[in-house]
Amino acid sequence: MYKKVKFTILSIAAFVFTIVFAAGFAYSINITNASSGSSSSKVANKGSENKAVDTKIKKLNSNSYNILVMGDSLARGTGDETNSGFASDFSKLWKNKTKKPIDITNISVNGDVSSGLLNIVKSKQTLQYIQDSNMIFISIGGNEIKNFKNSSTVSSVVQTDSLKTVENKYMKNLSDVFKLIRSRNQNSIIVFIGLYNPFGSELTEDKLELLNEWNYKTDQLVSSDDNAIYIPTYDLFKYNSGNYFAADNFHPNSIGYEAISKRIFEALKNYEK
């Protein structure tokens, strides 16, 4: 009898432990997906793909060097255990380039895609931020290239056409984003962060080719703007995947973000503002 009761108690305890562990794991995943990019950043939006930022407009300080960060979870710094992200890391390197204090405004949205970014840029608040910004960081497209991994393998022709449709929509949205930015600010430098492959060998050669084409076309679009620069990251993560990825194997960790920020700084160190 005693053994039976003891076994029952142990079974119940094991069941409760399993439930608690599962809840804790789910919570940790939620933290990874919802963490912000920088503790010093002003987060203006926690919306979804089709929800623009809040209508309350905050005037940026003209006595500051204003950096605006837009886009997806990479722009927010998700995965960085130090809660910095590339924008905050970059600002530490850039502080000697300006006599003004650097102020970062981060309105990026976890999980966002190019259509969501376009909606955000159309908002009055974002347009005001754009007008008052000295530098604008954009990271977008990472959630769209998830289609590269998850697309059907039933028909390679249909699959390629489907991915091309996603790419074409993305390029159109990005072009419209640039037009809107320049309609409000001709002088701010736009820094666009290129895409890397977060899937490693899981991405087949044909899809890697599509990813490289995606990056190439994005580079062309960004480079057509005389005051914009494209920052490639594909090689950074290809050769340092063991050191640069966070626990989710999708976002960079603090070392990965620092590598991105250093590449941005190297590309801009001779830039005359």
Side-chain angles (χ1 to χ4, degrees):
M1 180 66 178
Y2 172 76
K3 289 182 177 180
K4 184 180 292 186
V5 171
K6 184 178 180 182
F7 177 78
T8 302
I9 293 173
L10 289 173
S11 298
I12 293 172
F15 176 75
V16 171
F17 176 79
T18 301
I19 294 298
V20 172
F21 177 80
F25 179 75
Y27 179 75
S28 68
I29 292 297
N30 185 58
I31 289 295
T32 298
N33 290 332
S35 62
S36 64
S38 171
S39 58
S40 64
S41 300
K42 298 182 182 68
V43 179
N45 180 44
K46 294 183 180 179
S48 62
E49 171 191 341
N50 296 313
K51 183 178 179 182
V53 295
D54 298 335
T55 54
K56 184 179 179 181
I57 298 174
K58 172 178 66 66
K59 181 75 173 178
L60 299 185
N61 189 345
S62 60
N63 293 320
S64 297
Y65 188 92
N66 295 309
I67 296 178
L68 177 63
V69 189
M70 303 190 295
D72 51 26
S73 55
L74 185 76
R76 287 182 69 84
T78 299
D80 187 341
E81 62 275 18
T82 66
N83 294 319
S84 293
F86 68 79
S88 181
D89 288 339
F90 171 82
S91 69
K92 296 171 186 175
L93 299 171
W94 193 250
K95 64 183 180 181
N96 293 326
K97 291 282 290 183
T98 176
K99 295 179 180 179
K100 296 180 178 181
I102 296 177
D103 192 2
I104 301 173
T105 300
N106 195 322
I107 59 171
S108 50
V109 178
N110 285 337
D112 216 350
V113 293
S114 59
S115 56
L117 175 61
L118 179 58
N119 284 337
I120 288 172
V121 172
K122 287 178 180 178
S123 75
K124 289 182 179 180
Q125 179 179 354
T126 303
L127 290 173
Q128 185 65 59
Y129 288 155
I130 289 170
Q131 180 174 306
D132 298 333
S133 292
N134 303 97
M135 185 177 292
I136 300 172
F137 285 127
I138 301 175
S139 169
I140 201 71
N143 293 300
E144 279 149 304
I145 67 164
K146 287 181 180 178
N147 291 284
F148 286 20
K149 180 185 177 185
N150 300 329
S151 56
S152 171
T153 57
V154 175
S155 169
S156 59
V157 175
V158 173
Q159 173 182 289
T160 300
D161 288 344
S162 176
L163 294 177
K164 285 284 188 181
T165 299
V166 173
E167 179 187 347
N168 291 338
K169 181 181 178 183
Y170 163 86
M171 294 303 301
K172 176 63 167 60
N173 289 334
L174 190 58
S175 176
D176 289 343
V177 165
F178 267 69
K179 288 176 183 176
L180 280 167
I181 290 174
R182 288 314 182 201
S183 72
R184 296 301 291 265
N185 190 330
Q186 290 286 333
N187 298 318
S188 178
I189 182 167
I190 301 174
V191 181
F192 191 93
I193 311 302
L195 299 177
Y196 55 82
N197 170 25
F199 307 116
S201 59
E202 294 181 52
L203 216 59
T204 56
E205 284 298 322
D206 58 326
K207 292 177 183 177
L208 277 176
E209 190 174 321
L210 284 172
L211 174 57
N212 288 327
E213 178 186 295
W214 184 301
N215 274 330
Y216 174 71
K217 288 185 176 180
T218 303
D219 187 1
Q220 283 187 311
L221 189 153
V222 174
S223 299
S224 66
D225 185 302
D226 291 338
N227 208 24
I229 187 167
Y230 175 88
I231 305 297
T233 63
Y234 183 89
D235 60 313
L236 284 178
F237 289 85
K238 179 179 179 180
Y239 299 111
N240 296 281
S241 59
N243 298 319
Y244 284 1
F245 280 114
D248 62 6
N249 289 317
F250 188 84
H251 296 97
N253 57 18
S254 61
I255 301 174
Y257 280 115
E258 186 178 3
I260 294 174
S261 69
K262 286 180 178 178
R263 174 159 287 187
I264 297 170
F265 180 74
E266 284 300 313
L268 293 177
K269 66 180 182 181
N270 295 321
Y271 172 74
E272 296 296 333
K273 58 185 185 302

